[in-house]
């Protein structure tokens, strides 16, 4: 037994591992940010609950209890649903929600990106790091945004007065390229945003 232990210790020494008090260091995988995300069935259940709740307080209570395990879709849905109530007095847990959205924004689909920007703008809650992350992702995926997403995203940045010239440039290019896809409402929203943000469209 002593000989076997000595061989194991020597093998670990050769691999550069440090030994403390005669114990071998366990090899562990690097931590992953999404280890706490619940499975798809739970995500669906939470999504239905978010859609069903009738007050922003109820949605944010759910987020407070389970939000750390929300996937990208439920995070963006939370921001959008709370924003839809149009109340600016609901502030609790928004800082945590903004932080989680910012960390996972790369996993949001194009609609989720637009909905998150719109929701926080409606709540008049501006987290600079979140909006900067949204601007980067929305610009990268501007070709995947539909006209309503473009209008809502531009509206959010204009309303919050967060400067995002590269984002507006990308939206302008896509709007010109796909102008026939815009409804009158989409176009009015987009034009208003450019005018309010004092961005000259081509």
């Amino acid at each position: 037994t002593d000989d076997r232990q000595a061989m194991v210790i020597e093998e670990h020494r050769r691999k550069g591992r440090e030994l403390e008090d005669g114990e071998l260091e366990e090899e562990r995988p690097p931590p992953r940010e999404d280890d706490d995300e619940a499975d798809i069935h739970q995500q669906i259940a939470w999504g239905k609950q978010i859609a069903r709740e009738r007050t922003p307080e109820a949605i944010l209570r759910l987020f407070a209890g389970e939000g750390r395990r929300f996937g990208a879709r439920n995070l963006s849905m939370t921001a959008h649903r709370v924003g839809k109530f149009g109340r600016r007095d609901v502030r609790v847990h928004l800082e945590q929600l903004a932080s989680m959205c910012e960390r996972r924004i790369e996993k949001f689909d194009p609609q989720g990106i637009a909905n998150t920007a719109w929701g926080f703008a409606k709540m008049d809650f501006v987290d600079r790091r979140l909006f900067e992350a949204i601007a980067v992702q929305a610009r990268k995926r501007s070709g995947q945004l539909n006209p309503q997403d473009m209008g809502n995203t531009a509206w959010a940045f204009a309303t919050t007065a967060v400067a995002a010239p590269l984002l507006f440039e990308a939206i302008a290019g896509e709007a010109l390229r796909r102008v026939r896809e815009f409804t009158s409402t989409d176009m009015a929203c987009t034009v208003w945003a450019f005018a309010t943000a004092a961005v000259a469209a081509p």
Side-chain angles (χ1 to χ4, degrees):
T1 303
D2 290 344
D3 290 343
R4 185 174 183 279
Q5 183 178 10
M7 290 174 64
V8 172
I9 291 173
E10 182 59 27
E11 176 66 19
H12 278 74
R13 280 189 179 135
R14 281 200 298 270
K15 291 181 179 179
R17 294 186 175 90
E18 294 182 357
L19 303 177
E20 294 183 4
D21 299 327
E23 294 182 358
L24 300 178
E25 179 185 359
E26 293 182 10
E27 186 172 0
R28 299 177 182 176
R32 296 187 311 172
E33 180 181 306
D34 299 329
D35 279 348
D36 288 337
E37 281 192 26
D39 62 34
I40 185 63
H41 301 292
Q42 183 61 70
Q43 299 293 345
I44 292 172
W46 282 330
K48 291 179 179 178
Q49 185 174 350
I50 293 168
R52 190 169 58 243
E53 296 293 0
R54 291 293 177 260
T55 67
E57 290 87 354
I59 296 172
L60 289 171
R61 276 197 301 271
L62 173 63
F63 172 75
E66 305 290 354
R68 68 180 181 80
R69 302 177 66 205
F70 278 11
R73 180 176 176 80
N74 282 333
L75 287 172
S76 64
M77 190 175 179
T78 297
H80 186 252
R81 284 281 293 154
V82 174
K84 283 188 75 172
F85 287 98
R87 286 175 48 189
R88 299 187 176 188
D89 60 324
V90 181
R91 319 298 287 176
V92 65
H93 305 306
L94 293 187
E95 185 174 337
Q96 181 187 0
L97 177 60
S99 177
M100 290 192 64
C101 288
E102 185 263 323
R103 291 202 309 270
R104 296 184 180 175
I105 195 68
E106 291 185 3
K107 294 190 172 184
F108 285 29
D109 62 22
Q111 183 181 21
I113 293 170
N115 284 351
T116 300
W118 183 90
F120 275 97
K122 286 285 285 184
M123 291 182 278
D124 194 27
F125 189 91
V126 181
D127 182 291
R128 291 283 171 176
R129 290 184 62 176
L130 171 61
F131 272 83
E132 288 171 3
I134 288 173
V136 169
Q137 290 302 314
R139 179 173 58 84
K140 283 182 178 179
R141 289 189 268 174
S142 58
Q144 301 172 41
L145 297 172
N146 65 35
Q148 183 178 359
D149 294 337
M150 284 189 261
N152 285 346
T153 303
W155 178 90
F157 278 82
T159 299
T160 55
V162 176
L166 294 179
L167 170 61
F168 275 88
E169 180 181 335
I171 289 175
E174 285 299 321
L176 283 175
R177 189 172 68 84
R178 293 188 278 152
V179 67
R180 294 182 182 276
E181 299 175 22
F182 278 71
T183 65
S184 57
T185 301
D186 297 332
M187 185 58 69
C189 181
T190 305
V191 169
W192 179 91
F194 273 78
T196 302
V199 176

